[in-house]
Amino acid sequence: MALERRTLGVVVLGFAFMLIFTSFQTQGNMQQVVIDSIQKEDPSFAGSGYVSLAVVYAVFATTNWVAPSCLTILGPKLTMVAGALTYTLFIASFLWPHTWLLYLVSVVVGLGAALIWTGQGNYLTLMSDDATITRNSGIFWAMMQCSMVFGNIFVFVKFRGQEVISADTRFVVFISLTAVSVAGTLVLLLLPKPGSQSGRSDAASSPTKELMKSFKLFVTKDMLLLSVTFFYTGLELSFYSGVYSACLSFTQRFPDPKMLVGLSGISIGVGEILAGATFGIFGSKTIKFGRDPIVLLGFLIHMVCFYLIFLNLPKDSPLCDTYGPSKFSGGQPIVWIALLCSFLLGFGDACFNTQVYSLLGSVYSDNSGPAFAVFQFVQSFSAACCFFYSTYISLHWHLGILVVFCVVGTLTFCVVEWNAYRKAVVKSAAPEGYDNEGEVDQRPS
């Protein structure tokens, strides 16, 4: 009965995030495209989608350090609800496009993101144990990423055939996304409380102690190694969620580039869902071989993807409308390759993120709040960096940076995973009364 209750909690969590991020991820995917259309109607609007998202992730990174302290006061459920409300506010702000409002709500949702994701990591850990954390991470990830499909089907239908996204179309899209975000926030209120049967001992401490625990955890050897992996997940998150869709929209050699924004989001979502569902269903089997094979699979998929993007899209496509040629014969970019790359971006992203969640939930099960705060700090900091430099650099520089961090991030993840495996073997082999270093455990029983 306890297992069923905990699994139900994970499913409700995934459903709530699916609704909230149907709104936010869809909005992020089309934000630069929508703002470009607003500026064509109203030249006085000086906002930038890239800068807005950079502000979101910069504030997200900064406030992650205090999120565990809020967690100890509010608990995971109310922490996530508070964060979800800021997402609704951010999406609703596009009903009244003003430059000052865009950047103000970008700051607000950055704070909310720190709350909702730290609460999510803590809740998922408390509703799992070592045997179910990989499965539950996969279930949550697959359900949440359904948002990429549902939201972008809607965008595909509404944007199809439009060179400039009209004010009426924008109103319908954003009022609908706001309503869906409100529904997701209400679902969070239905989450069951993690009970003592969760098997986790992530006990609450004072807010100050939680902040100090986060700082101390950040400078440990394994967490510094993992931070390189976290940094890469932030770079590829910002690339697939904002930069790549802009590249497709600005490449005027495509027959209907605005239509591709929605189709690309759907393809990314299908890749995320397929990978998350696979690792969720077969999590109990794949964990026997470790997490590193799945991360290596993600590495190979992303390497192939980056090479195909390099061949298919012009180098100035992240910055402005372009008729630049692709590197294929005739210089014409190929639609099905663009959508295949979207799928590969999503599948590879899920390979990395589900295994990061699994590793943190297992290795740091008694310290999950600070551990997920560090993860979100590094990931959001790198995403902010990517969105900031996206206003200046060409596609080839984007891909070069991604390749370097993909290689190094994969290596550092494997090192930590192998260290965790060796410690687990030593601990399981140690006689009762001995710690995992083979010395007498003198702690009181």
Side-chain angles (χ1 to χ4, degrees):
M1 186 65 183
L3 177 62
E4 292 177 358
R5 180 179 177 278
R6 287 153 54 192
T7 303
L8 175 63
V10 173
V11 171
V12 174
L13 181 70
F15 183 63
F17 272 65
M18 180 191 74
L19 292 173
I20 294 166
F21 284 88
T22 290
S23 300
F24 184 73
Q25 290 199 122
T26 303
Q27 185 273 343
N29 190 44
M30 65 181 178
Q31 183 165 325
Q32 183 62 32
V33 177
V34 167
I35 286 178
D36 183 64
S37 295
I38 293 172
Q39 290 171 336
K40 288 176 179 176
E41 292 183 359
D42 180 11
S44 66
F45 184 84
S48 166
Y50 287 149
V51 173
S52 168
L53 291 171
V55 171
V56 170
Y57 285 103
V59 176
F60 185 5
T62 304
T63 54
N64 256 304
W65 294 110
V66 298
S69 300
C70 297
L71 186 65
T72 64
I73 298 171
L74 299 176
K77 180 157 78 170
L78 290 181
T79 299
M80 287 187 284
V81 170
L85 291 173
T86 68
Y87 280 77
T88 303
L89 180 64
F90 180 71
I91 295 158
S93 71
F94 278 81
L95 297 170
W96 303 276
H98 297 282
T99 304
W100 66 268
L101 182 60
L102 172 66
Y103 293 131
L104 175 62
V105 293
S106 297
V107 172
V108 172
V109 80
L111 172 60
L115 295 176
I116 197 172
W117 283 108
T118 300
Q120 179 271 340
N122 179 252
Y123 187 86
L124 185 66
T125 300
L126 293 174
M127 298 300 278
S128 307
D129 54 35
D130 288 342
T132 61
I133 184 64
T134 298
R135 182 203 67 184
N136 288 348
S137 297
I139 291 172
F140 168 79
W141 196 259
M143 292 189 67
M144 189 194 77
Q145 295 299 346
C146 287
S147 62
M148 293 291 291
V149 175
F150 299 145
N152 283 290
I153 288 175
F154 181 55
V155 168
F156 167 72
V157 172
K158 298 301 295 182
F159 285 10
R160 189 172 186 177
Q162 296 194 39
E163 293 185 9
V164 177
I165 312 305
S166 68
D168 289 342
T169 299
R170 296 196 305 268
F171 181 83
V172 172
V173 168
F174 283 104
I175 199 73
S176 302
L177 295 181
T178 300
V180 172
S181 182
V182 170
T185 305
L186 294 175
V187 172
L188 284 176
L189 294 172
L190 303 177
L191 285 172
K193 291 184 179 180
S196 59
Q197 64 267 59
S198 66
R200 301 293 191 177
S201 57
D202 197 8
S205 59
S206 72
T208 303
K209 287 183 179 179
E210 286 296 304
L211 181 61
M212 294 307 299
K213 283 165 66 177
S214 298
F215 285 136
K216 290 179 180 178
L217 183 62
F218 186 37
V219 297
T220 59
K221 178 184 175 182
D222 282 351
M223 192 57 78
L224 287 173
L225 287 171
L226 282 174
S227 291
V228 183
T229 312
F230 301 162
F231 197 90
Y232 171 66
T233 64
L235 293 178
E236 52 100 3
L237 163 68
S238 53
F239 183 76
Y240 83 72
S241 65
V243 177
Y244 187 64
S245 59
C247 291
L248 299 181
S249 175
F250 290 150
T251 301
Q252 298 302 305
R253 284 176 178 254
F254 283 124
D256 190 345
K258 295 295 185 290
M259 177 191 71
L260 279 180
V261 174
L263 287 178
S264 173
I266 293 168
S267 300
I268 292 169
V270 170
E272 297 271 14
I273 295 164
L274 180 61
T278 300
F279 306 144
I281 295 170
F282 299 107
S284 60
K285 296 179 173 61
T286 59
I287 193 63
K288 296 177 182 178
F289 302 99
R291 303 173 184 89
D292 45 307
I294 295 175
V295 169
L296 288 170
L297 174 63
F299 164 78
L300 292 174
I301 287 173
H302 273 177
M303 285 292 129
V304 172
C305 176
F306 297 150
Y307 181 63
L308 290 175
I309 293 173
F310 171 77
L311 295 177
N312 198 40
L313 298 180
K315 66 179 182 179
D316 55 343
S317 56
L319 303 172
C320 59
D321 287 344
T322 176
Y323 289 89
S326 76
K327 292 178 175 56
F328 290 113
S329 177
Q332 184 70 21
I334 301 173
V335 171
W336 71 264
I337 289 183
L339 297 180
L340 172 64
C341 290
S342 300
F343 172 83
L344 295 178
L345 283 171
F347 196 98
D349 177 67
C351 288
F352 278 93
N353 277 281
T354 56
Q355 301 316 297
V356 166
Y357 271 83
S358 176
L359 181 65
L360 293 180
S362 176
V363 176
Y364 300 98
S365 60
D366 296 334
N367 209 15
S368 63
F372 279 96
V374 172
F375 166 48
Q376 296 297 341
F377 163 73
V378 178
Q379 185 184 65
S380 53
F381 174 75
S382 65
C385 292
C386 181
F387 281 122
F388 272 123
Y389 64 62
S390 293
T391 59
Y392 304 105
I393 69 172
S394 68
L395 178 62
H396 294 174
W397 279 104
H398 276 285
L399 296 175
I401 293 168
L402 285 166
V403 166
V404 170
F405 278 97
C406 186
V407 172
V408 181
T410 300
L411 289 174
T412 56
F413 181 93
C414 291
V415 169
V416 176
E417 170 69 4
W418 297 334
N419 288 340
Y421 175 76
R422 283 195 294 268
K423 290 177 182 178
V425 170
V426 171
K427 184 176 181 180
S428 64
E432 186 176 353
Y434 286 75
D435 63 16
N436 61 5
E437 301 295 331
E439 302 195 7
V440 177
D441 187 351
Q442 297 181 353
R443 290 169 293 183
S445 59

